[in-house]
Amino acid sequence: MGRIPCCEKESVKKGQWTPEEDHKLSSYIAQHGTRNWRLIPKNAGLQRCGKSCRLRWTNYLRPDLKHGQFSDAEEQIIVRLHSVLGNRWSVIAAQLPGRTDNDVKNHWNTKLKKKLSGMGIDPVTHKPYSHLMAEIATTLAPPQVANLAEATLGCLKDEMLHLLTKKHIDIQFQSPTHAPAPPQNASTSPSYNISSKHEANDDHDTIEKIKLGLSRAIIHEPQTINKPWDANGASSANFPGFHYALPSFGHEGDGSPWSQSMCTGSTCTAGDQQPQFHSKLADGNADDSEGEKDTRNVSSMFSPDCDLWDLPSNDLMNPLV
DNA sequence: AATCGTGCCAACCGCAATCAT
DNA sequence: TATGATTGCGGTTGGCACGAT
C-alpha cells in the first residue's frame, strides 16, 4: 500500500521563512543531508511541510547558490535556450551554475520578456512581431490584410497613446519608406524625433502614420522587413552585450539574428517540433532519467565540440511553447 | 503625508512522473 | 500489480519595496 501523508496541513506554517527557521533547516541538512523531506521538518523542529522545506532549501538556502544580478552572458544563455526549449526552466537553470529554475523563471518573466518585446521580438516564439504579422497576412486576401491592420491598431491604439503620453514623447516618422521600428534606442535612430511636448490633437496623425507603417510591414516580404533587432541597430544598444544570435542553418545572409533564426518563414509551426526534440533527447539515453537526459543534451549544446548552433535544423525550427 | 501603481521575488499550488510499500 | 506518498516542475500569487502622483 501507500505511505502516510507527508504532513498535516492544519498544523503547518506558511508564508515567509524567518532567519530562525532558515538556521534550523540549514543546520539539520548540514548534519543529516536531504534524504526524506517528509521527516526533515519534524526532526529539525520546524512547523513546515516537507515540500516547503525542500523549496526553501533548493531555492534559497543551498550554499552553492548565486544571489546577485544575472550577467549578460547568463541572459544570453537563457534567451538562447528558451528559444529552443521553451519554458523548461529546470533544464535552462542546469546550464547556469548557482541559479535555480525559480530564479531563471522570475528573471525571464520580469526582465527578459520585456527586453525582447522592446526589441520587437515576440518572447514566446522568438520571432519578430513584424514577421509574425507578415506570416498572418500571407494567409489573408488584401482586403482582410487591411482589416487586420485596422484591428491590430484598434487593440494597440489606447496602450500606445498611453505609453506615448506617459513618456512625454512625440514620435514623428520622418520617412514612410520603411515600416516603423519599435521606439527603443530612439535617441540614435534617425527614424524618430523625440520631443518633450505632446499635443493631443497630434494623436490622429500619429496613429495614421503608425497604420501606414504597419500596413507596409504586413505587405512586405519577410526578407525585406525592417530589422530593428539588427546588432548594429537598436537591439544591441538596448540590450548591452546581447546579440540575438540564434542557430543558423542555411540563411547565412546579412548576419542579422533573423537571418540566423530558427524559423524560416511560414513553414514554422509550433506543433511539430516538440516531439522531434524530445525524441532527440531520448536517443542514446535510455538508461537515464528524463532530467539527466535533458541536462546532458543541453550541456552538449555548449560544449566546444557541439554547440547550440550545431543542432539539426529540424530540432530548431520551432520554439517549444 | 497619503495613496496608488508597478516591479520584483519568494513561496504556494497543482499536476505528472517516479518511487515505495 | 495497485495504491498512494514523494519528488520535480512550471504556473501563479501574495506581499514587500519603491517611485509617481
Side-chain angles (χ1 to χ4, degrees):
Chain A
M1 291 303 172
R3 302 176 185 174
I4 55 176
C6 73
C7 55
E8 284 143 31
K9 298 202 164 142
E10 307 81 44
S11 60
V12 162
K13 187 182 167 194
K14 288 185 180 180
Q16 294 286 110
W17 280 66
T18 65
E20 288 166 56
E21 289 177 310
D22 283 345
H23 182 253
K24 280 183 182 177
L25 182 59
S26 297
S27 301
Y28 182 86
I29 289 174
Q31 279 191 304
H32 302 94
T34 58
R35 281 167 52 92
N36 201 335
W37 285 107
R38 180 172 62 86
L39 295 176
I40 286 176
K42 187 181 165 192
N43 294 344
L46 290 161
Q47 299 280 92
R48 295 274 182 175
C49 177
K51 193 173 180 176
S52 178
C53 292
R54 181 172 57 81
L55 221 57
R56 182 63 178 172
W57 173 256
T58 54
N59 285 343
Y60 191 81
L61 294 176
R62 256 170 49 202
D64 59 325
L65 291 181
K66 268 192 223 170
H67 290 289
Q69 297 242 317
F70 278 75
S71 67
D72 291 340
E74 286 176 315
E75 290 189 338
Q76 287 190 47
I77 289 172
I78 293 170
V79 172
R80 286 177 193 171
L81 287 177
H82 187 272
S83 72
V84 180
L85 297 165
N87 295 356
R88 300 179 72 183
W89 306 119
S90 60
V91 184
I92 296 172
Q95 303 310 309
L96 299 168
R99 302 296 188 183
T100 69
D101 54 350
N102 213 32
D103 285 337
V104 173
K105 179 172 58 181
N106 282 334
H107 192 65
W108 173 264
N109 285 328
T110 58
K111 302 272 181 61
L112 296 181
K113 262 165 85 172
K114 290 170 194 168
K115 281 188 180 180
L116 289 183
S117 290
M119 293 161 60
I121 294 167
D122 176 24
V124 177
T125 62
H126 292 257
K127 296 163 79 173
Y129 287 125
S130 54
H131 187 270
L132 290 172
M133 294 290 289
E135 278 194 355
I136 294 168
T138 60
T139 68
L140 301 174
Q144 292 173 309
V145 172
N147 291 341
L148 173 64
E150 290 286 342
T152 303
L153 278 162
C155 295
L156 297 176
K157 178 183 152 187
D158 288 346
E159 185 161 357
M160 292 173 82
L161 285 176
H162 171 73
L163 287 171
L164 294 176
T165 307
K166 189 177 171 184
K167 302 282 184 193
H168 302 291
I169 59 174
D170 184 15
I171 298 177
Q172 297 172 355
F173 299 105
Q174 293 185 325
S175 166
T177 56
H178 295 290
Q184 81 283 3
N185 196 30
S187 62
T188 57
S189 168
S191 299
Y192 297 93
N193 275 345
I194 309 282
S195 67
S196 59
K197 57 186 179 222
H198 177 72
E199 301 293 338
N201 58 9
D202 287 343
D203 288 347
H204 180 73
D205 279 355
T206 302
I207 291 299
E208 287 305 312
K209 286 165 183 168
I210 293 170
K211 283 167 72 173
L212 176 63
L214 179 58
S215 299
R216 289 176 186 277
I218 290 170
I219 63 178
H220 266 69
E221 289 297 316
Q223 291 81 359
T224 63
I225 296 173
N226 193 21
K227 298 182 177 105
W229 56 91
D230 192 291
N232 295 322
S235 65
S236 58
N238 218 30
F239 207 157
F242 180 83
H243 301 283
Y244 203 79
L246 286 168
S248 166
F249 53 94
H251 271 257
E252 307 283 346
D254 55 11
S256 74
W258 176 243
S259 69
Q260 300 174 344
S261 111
M262 310 172 291
C263 300
T264 55
S266 57
T267 58
C268 179
T269 54
D272 58 355
Q273 183 210 356
Q274 190 152 1
Q276 295 170 1
F277 192 77
H278 276 284
S279 66
K280 175 183 175 59
L281 289 176
D283 284 344
N285 290 287
D287 296 331
D288 290 335
S289 72
E290 185 69 26
E292 288 166 340
K293 274 185 279 184
D294 287 352
T295 301
R296 180 184 304 182
N297 280 278
V298 174
S299 293
S300 70
M301 293 176 186
F302 292 92
S303 73
D305 301 315
C306 172
D307 79 11
L308 180 59
W309 320 140
D310 295 332
L311 284 172
S313 60
N314 280 349
D315 285 345
L316 299 170
M317 281 294 287
N318 303 293
L320 299 177
V321 277

